[in-house]
């Protein structure tokens, strides 16, 4: 897993840097008649991935703002810092919200155990709101999938591949939608 921590950012860098050349090298392998359609499909898939990343960033900001408001109302020390931390950790799928909640729980416990319980309940509620309302609504709009499809894809991805499946399910379904649209409708 340490190797993955190094390899994935390097691969990401090269994908972003050499996107056009990589796309053309894939397209050049195809027969001449299929190249324009392949370019169109790849470009649409790139738009979907870009929209997914924007949606994920928007989810992070919304949750960070909600954490800031919650910590401010509960009178936990450093609510702005906790909100910003929640925004940053929210970008880490599945475990990010737990990492973001830990400092708030710690600070609340230093104040009083009853405040820590309130903060824990707050984060459990935020997590449910995020998973059942915020993510389906935002991701549904940014990548043009109905919220029900987003929720079902998360459930299926989780059943098939666990945490990795949940992380990959929404972008994979969005990419499949683009691919199936072009394969189904011979434009």
């Amino acid at each position: 897993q340490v190797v993955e921590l190094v390899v994935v950012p390097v691969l990401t860098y090269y994908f972003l840097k050499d996107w056009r050349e990589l796309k053309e090298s894939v397209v050049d392998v195809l027969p001449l008649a299929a190249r324009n359609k392949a370019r169109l499909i790849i470009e649409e898939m790139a738009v979907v991935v870009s929209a997914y990343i924007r949606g994920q960033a928007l989810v992070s900001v919304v949750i960070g703002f909600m954490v800031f408001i919650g910590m401010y109302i509960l009178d936990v020390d450093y609510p702005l810092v906790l909100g910003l931390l929640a925004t940053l950790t929210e970008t880490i799928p599945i475990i990010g919200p737990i990492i973001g909640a830990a400092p708030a729980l710690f600070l609340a416990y230093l104040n009083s155990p009853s405040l820590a319980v309130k903060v824990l309940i707050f984060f459990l509620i935020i997590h449910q709101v995020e998973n059942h309302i915020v993510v389906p609504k935002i991701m549904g709009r940014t990548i043009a999938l109905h919220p029900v499809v987003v929720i079902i894809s998360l459930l299926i991805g989780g059943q098939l591949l666990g945490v990795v499946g949940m992380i990959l399910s929404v972008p994979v379904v969005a990419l499949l939608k683009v691919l199936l649209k072009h394969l189904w409708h011979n434009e």
Side-chain angles (χ1 to χ4, degrees):
Q1 291 185 357
V2 172
V3 172
E4 290 175 6
L5 288 174
V6 174
V7 172
V8 169
V10 170
L11 279 175
T12 303
Y13 168 76
Y14 281 114
F15 274 122
L16 292 172
K17 178 182 171 286
D18 298 331
W19 165 247
R20 301 271 180 234
E21 293 83 11
L22 288 169
K23 179 182 76 171
E24 287 305 317
S25 66
V26 169
V27 170
D28 287 343
V29 175
L30 299 171
L32 284 172
R35 288 183 183 176
N36 285 336
K37 182 140 185 135
R39 278 188 192 92
L40 178 66
I41 292 171
I42 291 171
E43 286 296 327
E44 272 191 53
M45 288 180 160
V47 168
V48 166
V49 170
S50 175
Y52 174 77
I53 292 169
R54 281 192 312 275
Q56 194 64 38
L58 183 57
V59 167
S60 296
V61 169
V62 167
I63 298 302
F65 183 71
M66 290 169 68
V67 167
F68 163 70
I69 296 296
M71 295 302 99
Y72 182 79
I73 290 170
L74 291 172
D75 201 27
V76 177
D77 293 336
Y78 312 109
L80 183 60
V81 173
L82 294 171
L84 290 172
L85 183 63
T87 301
L88 294 175
T89 58
E90 191 65 35
T91 60
I92 305 166
I94 312 304
I95 63 167
I98 297 167
I99 296 169
L105 285 167
F106 178 72
L107 285 172
Y109 186 78
L110 289 177
N111 195 336
S112 78
S114 65
L115 181 59
V117 170
K118 291 176 186 174
V119 169
L120 178 62
I121 291 169
F122 170 79
F123 273 100
L124 290 173
I125 291 169
I126 286 292
H127 188 65
Q128 293 305 310
V129 167
E130 172 191 5
N131 288 336
H132 296 98
I133 298 171
V134 176
V135 169
K137 284 284 191 188
I138 290 176
M139 286 305 185
R141 284 198 180 124
T142 58
I143 58 177
L145 289 176
H146 193 279
V148 171
V149 174
V150 173
I151 293 170
I152 290 172
S153 68
L154 287 168
L155 292 173
I156 292 171
Q159 281 295 315
L160 294 177
L161 298 172
V163 173
V164 173
M166 292 179 78
I167 293 169
L168 297 175
S169 63
V170 175
V172 166
V173 167
L175 292 174
L176 284 173
K177 179 184 172 191
V178 170
L179 190 59
L180 289 173
K181 178 183 91 173
H182 285 281
L183 293 176
W184 196 273
H185 303 289
N186 292 326
E187 298 169 355

